[in-house]
Amino acid sequence: MLKSKTFLKKTRAGGVMKIVREHYLRDDIGCGAPGCAACGAAHEGPVLEPQPLDPASSLCPQPHYLLPDTNVLLHQIVTVWRPGTWASVALRPPGSLETYVEQKQGENSNDRNDRAIRVAAKWYNEHLKKMSAENQLQVIFITNDRKNKEKAIEEGIPAFTCEEYVKSLTANPELIDRLACLSEEGNEIESGKIIFSEHLPLSKLQQGIKSGTYLQGTFRASRENYLEATVWIHGDAEENKEIILQGLKNLNRAIHEDIVAVELLPKNQWVAPSSLVLQDEGQNEDDVEKEEERERILKTAVNEKMLKPTGRVVGIIKRNWRPYCGMLSKSDIKESRRHLFTPADKRIPRIRIETRQASTLEGQRIIVAIDGWPRNSRYPNGHFVKNLGEVGDKETETEVLLLEHDVPHQPFSQAVLSFLPKMPWSITEKDMKNREDLRHLCVCSVDPPGCTDIDDALHCRELDNGNLEVGVHIADVSHFIRPGNALDQESARRGTTVYLCEKRIDMVPELLSSDLCSLRCNVDRLAFSCIWEMNHNAEILKTRFTKSAINSKASLTYAEAQMRIDSATMNDDITISLRGLNKLAKILKKRRIEKGALTLSSPEVRFHMDSETHDPIDLQTKELRETNSMVEEFMLLANISVAKKIHEEFSEHALLRKHPAPPPSNYEILVKAAKSKNLEIKTDTAKSLADSLDRADSPTFPYLNTLLRILATRCMMQAVYFCSGMDNDFHHYGLASPIYTHFTSPIRRYADIIVHRLLAVAVGADCTYPELTDKHKLADLCKNLNFRHKMAQYAQRASVAFHTQLFFKSKGIVSEEAYILFVRKNAIVVLIPKYGLEGTVFFEEKDKPKPRLIYDDEIPSLKIEDAVFHIFDKVKVKIMLDSSNLQHQKIRMSLVEPQIPGISIPADTSNLDINEPERKKKKLKKELQSTRKL
């Protein structure tokens, strides 16, 4: 026992209580070095390496352990450490008898901690000498605190800063690039000119938010304009929900997804959202005057009705930085170690890093972390973390898009796989408890070609009373994934399966997704069935839910199912069942649309891959058949039926899905676009919008209705999961349904697994567990699921964009008809129906004379010289892959028709070489290599 304190305390009853507090130190904590006779059996938990790996340090040539101080451990060791490059790290618990130090009078906590680490380092060095005189093992103290280092050296402790030690590792010179740049002042750009205002301290921000002076929200940078962002204000207030920020100084060093405090500017300083497309392409990081000129262009005269609440960032409440993927933009200055890194995500600013490996990293996809953003630097400071591989390589680009969209894609761990059923697996008597045997029913599945994770199957048969029995049978994934185990936790973390063009990132291991849970034909499978009794007018008379065992009689594609329905000769049980389902589905869809459900449009593409190279050889828009709609109708019906049931049983804990109605301002672009074609779109209710879209037809322009529906899709809000006990608004706007959930895809969506568990408890087929009825935990789960679903969508779009680039790389330059979707101040956004491809045609290019552009936001229209462009106008464009910028290789579109002198390119562009800058680079490289050989 070190010491004992005794004091008296008066109780509420008026008595006196004696309290004794004793402070003990342990004498049984080992040093951690294996083979230490002095410590004997005192080792517990992790131990040091028996013989530290020689990190080839020029400062410490003999074998050694490292003892980092707290700040080095927090800020540096994760970024710099890599197996085999550092010596072992030694840590000594503060409660050890030999190394405990008491705080001296007048000594602050920080100084006491520094002294304690020095005492531990000294103890280790003395202790290791006793262990092995010939080995000469040492403990090196690593600290970035100058005073602490000086005191350590005075006390005879070998001590170095993190930078000194890392620079001494001669075998790994690249590690110096990984050091986090912590001193913002020490790394400021030479000009020293203050660009940004100071961020207020957190205490002042909190006071300001409380008093209403400042507003707290999430910073969302624009993809199209690097000088503009919006802040989504937290809270329930409808007023000033979204605040616009324009200009570098008002953005004030905030980065996408940061939680910021903003100050609302006076109304006379409010601005309108810019229609300008601006990309940060400058090489000179000090050229702030050019930025100010661009900012002035943003603030052109606009209609007062277009003005939005505008503000400026006054402080950062929480940074949400992450490692960023992208490419190094090598400095033009020869031998320079300072370069700009351009992130793949256009919403992230360029990052200034120092590296000696610029020549090696050029043309590679790399990961960089941000360290800080000084007030007098145009860009944040950061450091190199990892090299992913060569730009354009399929594996590398797929890795980039998965990392950028935070998609968990590591192989499943052994801990997760240990909860999978042992093979061979079959349905047992125990499995059939609380389960109906429906293996006799003529059940079949209808899916896209090549689908292996078959979630759902259907059946339809006539009953003796003349009514129809319709069943939707969903894979019983919750039977295999039990609450709380490692498999369940990993599935919840992933949230959803992510479908890329060439691969699938499964939410659950393949044994479940493609085998035991997949409702393949001619094998017994466990299911959760939703069965209705309907009359021939598709009116539901009875609904029941049951866990079941099924045996699918056919696994069909949409095309095969359609062929059976249309065939005049096929009349087997499966075909009769499909015809019954299709007939009912048409009635259900008609009724749903009459209630106000929206039929929107979104161009989806399908790639045809080369069987050997796996490169895309053809690109087509997906063809939708009646059978697509048939399956969709019964999935919607099952989801609605289950939503009603689980909400009846768990009014506070049901996991539901809602689709909020868009604010009227979202529809402005749609209404204006229709008006330009002399059509009226009403948006006061979903029903009036649906009716308006149905009436919006033009005999001379048949594709107009599809374009309007595509534009209407862009006006919609995101559908989200929520807990019924945490929200009052359950309505699903797009489906015109008062209640909705997801039940039909548990192999690929974790939300459906939770819904299955709720339904199983509701029908007495399974028991509940505490987390299932905890609405706060359910709300947190919904937050993660919403994030994962959004990221999965973005990752899928990025995969389509990359494969589209590959397609046009091999296809070369093509000319196609397109329709204008949006009109900007200096560009038009077009859609090419043949490929379902969207792109931007710019009318201002660097180093070219600027054309005369007149933008009218009211119509909206853009006048270029004597030609006027409106939304939905038909144009002809050239499509080509622009590889001149390796960082952002992109599909480039140029106007062919209408012909505008100086703007349109000639129809014959066979001599045009969009990759010319890149080819010149390669040629120069080859010449240099030849010179070296000579």
Side-chain angles (χ1 to χ4, degrees):
M1 185 171 77
L2 178 71
K3 58 185 177 183
S4 160
K5 278 186 184 176
T6 307
F7 54 95
L8 303 174
K9 186 181 176 184
K10 190 177 180 181
T11 64
R12 282 185 182 179
V16 176
M17 190 194 313
K18 183 180 179 182
I19 296 173
V20 179
R21 284 200 178 143
E22 297 174 338
H23 190 170
Y24 288 87
L25 292 176
R26 290 178 63 176
D27 60 359
D28 61 343
I29 299 174
C31 67
C36 176
C39 296
H43 295 304
E44 283 181 19
V47 292
L48 297 166
E49 290 169 356
Q51 189 65 31
L53 291 169
D54 179 12
S57 167
S58 57
L59 290 173
C60 328
Q62 66 267 41
H64 56 273
Y65 297 121
L66 297 181
L67 185 67
D69 75 2
T70 316
N71 285 323
V72 169
L73 203 61
L74 283 172
H75 300 297
Q76 300 285 10
I77 204 159
V78 175
T79 58
V80 179
W81 186 84
R82 197 172 77 218
T85 57
W86 277 65
S88 299
V89 176
L91 298 170
R92 184 76 178 148
S96 309
L97 185 64
E98 303 91 340
T99 55
Y100 176 76
V101 295
E102 267 204 85
Q103 194 166 342
K104 293 178 180 176
Q105 198 169 357
E107 184 180 46
N108 63 35
S109 300
N110 198 43
D111 289 343
R112 182 254 163 218
N113 292 341
D114 287 347
R115 189 161 56 87
I117 295 169
R118 293 198 302 274
V119 167
K122 199 167 186 177
W123 177 85
Y124 257 115
N125 276 321
E126 288 167 4
H127 183 80
L128 291 174
K129 276 178 194 171
K130 294 175 196 171
M131 187 184 100
S132 174
E134 63 275 5
N135 268 347
Q136 292 186 315
L137 271 172
Q138 244 189 335
V139 165
I140 307 295
F141 179 41
I142 304 292
T143 178
N144 287 334
D145 186 321
R146 185 172 49 82
K147 286 183 182 175
N148 200 10
K149 182 193 163 190
E150 286 169 3
K151 285 181 181 177
I153 292 167
E154 280 172 24
E155 293 168 20
I157 302 163
F160 303 102
T161 65
C162 197
E163 187 174 351
E164 286 169 344
Y165 181 78
V166 171
K167 279 182 176 175
S168 79
L169 300 177
T170 50
N172 300 94
E174 79 282 356
L175 285 183
I176 193 69
D177 293 345
R178 295 175 184 237
L179 280 171
C181 169
L182 296 177
S183 169
E184 292 192 348
E185 289 74 22
N187 283 279
E188 287 169 357
I189 54 178
E190 283 77 0
S191 70
K193 182 183 175 185
I194 300 295
I195 302 169
F196 301 102
S197 57
E198 196 172 353
H199 287 151
L200 297 178
L202 195 59
S203 55
K204 281 193 176 176
L205 295 179
Q206 287 168 337
Q207 285 172 11
I209 290 163
K210 201 173 180 181
S211 66
T213 310
Y214 307 133
L215 298 165
Q216 178 178 324
T218 304
F219 182 89
R220 302 268 168 83
S222 165
R223 287 178 193 274
E224 293 188 332
N225 186 341
Y226 74 102
L227 293 175
E228 187 169 279
T230 52
V231 173
W232 287 84
I233 302 304
H234 300 169
D236 300 323
E238 285 300 312
E239 195 185 6
N240 300 335
K241 193 74 182 164
E242 187 184 357
I243 291 175
I244 290 178
L245 311 177
Q246 266 186 15
L248 275 183
K249 289 177 183 177
N250 288 340
L251 300 179
N252 197 7
R253 296 171 287 157
I255 290 172
H256 185 65
E257 293 294 338
D258 282 351
I259 308 298
V260 298
V262 291
E263 179 183 45
L264 208 59
L265 296 175
K267 281 198 174 182
N268 63 352
Q269 292 181 38
W270 285 13
V271 297
S274 170
S275 297
L276 209 60
V277 180
L278 279 181
Q279 303 298 336
D280 182 8
E281 291 169 349
Q283 270 294 331
N284 185 356
E285 55 190 85
D286 299 339
D287 199 356
V288 180
E289 287 76 14
K290 205 170 186 181
E291 309 290 359
E292 288 170 358
E293 188 188 322
R294 284 185 154 193
E295 284 173 27
R296 281 193 290 273
I297 298 167
L298 292 182
K299 296 179 174 113
T300 48
V302 288
N303 189 323
E304 268 192 43
K305 290 177 186 174
M306 302 297 292
L307 298 177
K308 303 276 184 189
T310 307
R312 68 183 187 97
V313 172
V314 291
I316 309 292
I317 292 162
K318 183 176 177 249
R319 286 289 193 192
N320 276 322
W321 295 343
R322 59 179 175 82
Y324 299 103
C325 301
M327 275 184 70
L328 194 71
S329 302
K330 196 178 171 186
S331 172
D332 295 333
I333 303 165
K334 201 179 177 185
E335 302 301 321
S336 175
R337 291 188 310 181
R338 180 179 288 158
H339 308 274
L340 283 176
F341 163 83
T342 308
D345 187 342
K346 290 183 181 178
R347 295 170 299 185
I348 307 300
R350 293 165 134 196
I351 301 163
R352 186 154 45 81
I353 68 167
E354 289 196 21
T355 178
R356 295 157 183 76
Q357 306 173 69
S359 299
T360 313
L361 298 178
E362 200 177 11
Q364 303 284 304
R365 289 284 187 194
I366 63 172
I367 295 178
V368 161
I370 295 177
D371 299 322
W373 196 340
R375 287 175 61 199
N376 58 352
S377 173
R378 168 67 184 82
Y379 298 108
N381 294 327
H383 64 272
F384 165 72
V385 175
K386 187 182 178 184
N387 186 353
L388 293 173
E390 197 176 337
V391 171
D393 175 72
K394 261 194 281 190
E395 288 299 315
T396 302
E397 296 298 339
T398 301
E399 179 76 5
V400 167
L401 73 88
L402 291 172
L403 288 169
E404 274 299 291
H405 297 101
D406 197 12
V407 175
H409 59 285
Q410 297 75 20
F412 289 97
S413 68
Q414 282 306 312
V416 170
L417 298 174
S418 67
F419 286 96
L420 291 174
K422 302 291 177 279
M423 297 300 285
W425 176 87
S426 61
I427 297 174
T428 63
E429 201 174 312
K430 188 183 174 186
D431 294 332
M432 291 305 295
K433 192 183 175 189
N434 299 323
R435 195 178 291 275
E436 273 187 56
D437 192 341
L438 303 178
R439 284 176 279 196
H440 61 284
L441 291 177
C442 186
V443 170
C444 69
S445 63
V446 184
D447 291 282
C451 179
T452 59
D453 53 342
I454 303 171
D455 284 291
D456 53 88
L458 301 153
H459 88 270
C460 175
R461 63 172 181 167
E462 194 160 342
L463 298 172
D464 295 339
N465 61 6
N467 290 330
L468 298 169
E469 180 187 82
V470 177
V472 166
H473 311 276
I474 306 299
D476 189 5
V477 182
S478 62
H479 174 84
F480 297 96
I481 300 179
R482 302 310 295 163
N485 67 24
L487 177 55
D488 182 48
Q489 287 169 5
E490 180 62 18
S491 304
R493 186 176 79 89
R494 294 186 177 219
T496 181
T497 292
V498 181
Y499 294 91
L500 305 180
C501 291
E502 268 194 281
K503 68 191 288 188
R504 190 179 77 200
I505 313 296
D506 282 325
M507 182 186 80
V508 298
E510 195 176 12
L511 180 65
L512 297 183
S513 65
S514 296
D515 190 353
L516 302 185
C517 292
S518 185
L519 305 182
R520 297 179 298 159
C521 60
N522 303 319
V523 286
D524 291 347
R525 289 289 177 258
L526 300 178
F528 211 143
S529 301
C530 173
I531 300 169
W532 303 277
E533 186 178 331
M534 293 181 176
N535 60 23
H536 287 265
N537 197 29
E539 289 164 339
I540 298 169
L541 307 173
K542 285 180 192 172
T543 307
R544 68 187 182 93
F545 307 97
T546 179
K547 288 217 170 192
S548 61
I550 65 164
N551 187 303
S552 174
K553 303 301 181 278
S555 297
L556 306 171
T557 64
Y558 290 117
E560 287 167 347
Q562 191 67 54
M563 188 187 70
R564 281 175 174 265
I565 290 167
D566 297 340
S567 171
T569 56
M570 296 182 81
N571 286 299
D572 57 282
D573 289 346
I574 293 169
T575 307
I576 291 165
S577 175
L578 286 169
R579 285 180 186 143
L581 289 165
N582 196 40
K583 185 184 169 189
L584 293 169
K586 286 178 181 177
I587 301 167
L588 288 168
K589 185 173 185 176
K590 185 172 178 285
R591 196 175 294 150
R592 201 165 52 77
I593 289 167
E594 283 168 0
K595 285 182 182 175
L598 297 172
T599 307
L600 300 177
S601 183
S602 180
E604 286 189 67
V605 296
R606 183 175 204 89
F607 291 96
H608 294 277
M609 301 293 187
D610 185 288
S611 57
E612 289 181 14
T613 64
H614 297 285
D615 286 336
I617 52 174
D618 197 10
L619 173 62
Q620 295 174 335
T621 48
K622 287 183 183 175
E623 186 186 346
L624 296 178
R625 297 176 171 84
E626 272 187 6
T627 44
N628 291 76
S629 179
M630 175 189 82
V631 173
E632 183 188 10
E633 286 307 313
F634 286 107
M635 296 306 114
L636 294 175
L637 189 62
N639 287 333
I640 292 166
S641 298
V642 170
K644 288 174 183 173
K645 179 67 177 176
I646 61 172
H647 186 245
E648 277 171 22
E649 295 290 328
F650 303 99
S651 59
E652 291 286 298
H653 319 114
L655 191 153
L656 302 174
R657 187 164 176 82
K658 69 171 181 176
H659 182 213
S665 59
N666 279 31
Y667 287 124
E668 282 175 10
I669 188 72
L670 176 66
V671 172
K672 284 178 182 177
K675 196 176 177 184
S676 71
K677 298 294 175 192
N678 299 315
L679 295 168
E680 186 185 13
I681 299 286
K682 293 184 177 177
T683 60
D684 43 329
T685 65
K687 172 78 174 143
S688 59
L689 174 62
D691 291 345
S692 298
L693 289 170
D694 286 342
R695 287 193 299 267
D697 270 327
S698 168
T700 56
F701 188 1
Y703 197 65
L704 176 63
N705 192 264
T706 305
L707 287 169
L708 282 166
R709 291 182 192 276
I710 289 169
L711 208 54
T713 307
R714 310 291 171 91
C715 303
M716 294 296 129
M717 304 289 281
Q718 188 84 31
V720 290
Y721 296 110
F722 69 101
C723 172
S724 59
M726 306 289 278
D727 207 323
N728 298 320
D729 178 21
F730 294 6
H731 190 74
H732 196 292
Y733 179 81
L735 298 173
S737 176
I739 193 165
Y740 191 67
T741 193
H742 272 163
F743 163 76
T744 55
S745 294
I747 294 176
R748 60 185 178 91
R749 292 189 303 233
Y750 188 77
D752 302 52
I753 292 177
I754 296 294
V755 169
H756 275 229
R757 288 174 182 168
L758 288 164
L759 186 61
V761 175
V763 299
D766 207 343
C767 51
T768 187
Y769 58 98
E771 285 79 8
L772 196 64
T773 52
D774 183 330
K775 64 182 182 182
H776 296 287
K777 285 190 176 173
L778 205 57
D780 288 341
L781 175 67
C782 288
K783 193 176 175 183
N784 178 56
L785 294 179
N786 290 330
F787 172 73
R788 291 293 179 207
H789 275 260
K790 185 170 70 176
M791 289 297 108
Q793 283 180 334
Y794 292 161
Q796 282 158 224
R797 287 176 201 164
S799 180
V800 168
F802 173 62
H803 280 78
T804 305
Q805 287 177 13
L806 290 179
F807 171 71
F808 282 105
K809 190 175 184 178
S810 59
K811 184 96 174 164
I813 301 170
V814 296
S815 180
E816 290 294 342
E817 286 184 346
Y819 294 98
I820 297 174
L821 273 184
F822 301 101
V823 175
R824 304 285 187 231
K825 277 185 182 175
N826 60 342
I828 53 172
V829 179
V830 299
L831 174 75
I832 298 158
K834 182 178 177 180
Y835 298 123
L837 180 66
E838 200 177 304
T840 307
V841 178
F842 290 95
F843 296 119
E844 289 179 339
E845 290 189 50
K846 271 198 296 185
D847 309 323
K848 281 193 179 180
K850 285 190 177 180
R852 190 163 45 89
L853 303 175
I854 301 168
Y855 176 72
D856 186 341
D857 191 59
E858 279 300 302
I859 298 178
S861 69
L862 178 66
K863 187 176 181 182
I864 305 159
E865 303 302 335
D866 295 321
V868 183
F869 293 97
H870 300 91
I871 292 179
F872 302 150
D873 280 0
K874 193 176 185 179
V875 293
K876 196 169 190 178
V877 295
K878 285 280 183 201
I879 313 159
M880 60 205 95
L881 179 67
D882 182 353
S883 300
S884 58
N885 178 353
L886 264 182
Q887 162 58 20
H888 285 126
Q889 289 191 54
K890 59 192 175 189
I891 300 295
R892 182 173 163 182
M893 296 187 187
S894 304
L895 189 70
V896 176
E897 291 176 10
Q899 279 288 326
I900 304 171
I903 298 289
S904 303
I905 61 170
D908 177 23
T909 51
S910 53
N911 298 322
L912 184 68
D913 190 353
I914 199 68
N915 301 322
E916 188 63 30
E918 199 52 42
R919 302 223 173 128
K920 280 181 181 172
K921 269 190 205 171
K922 285 179 181 175
K923 190 180 175 186
L924 184 65
K925 214 171 187 179
K926 279 180 184 174
E927 285 171 5
L928 284 169
Q929 284 168 351
S930 304
T931 311
R932 286 194 195 107
K933 283 173 188 173
L934 290 169

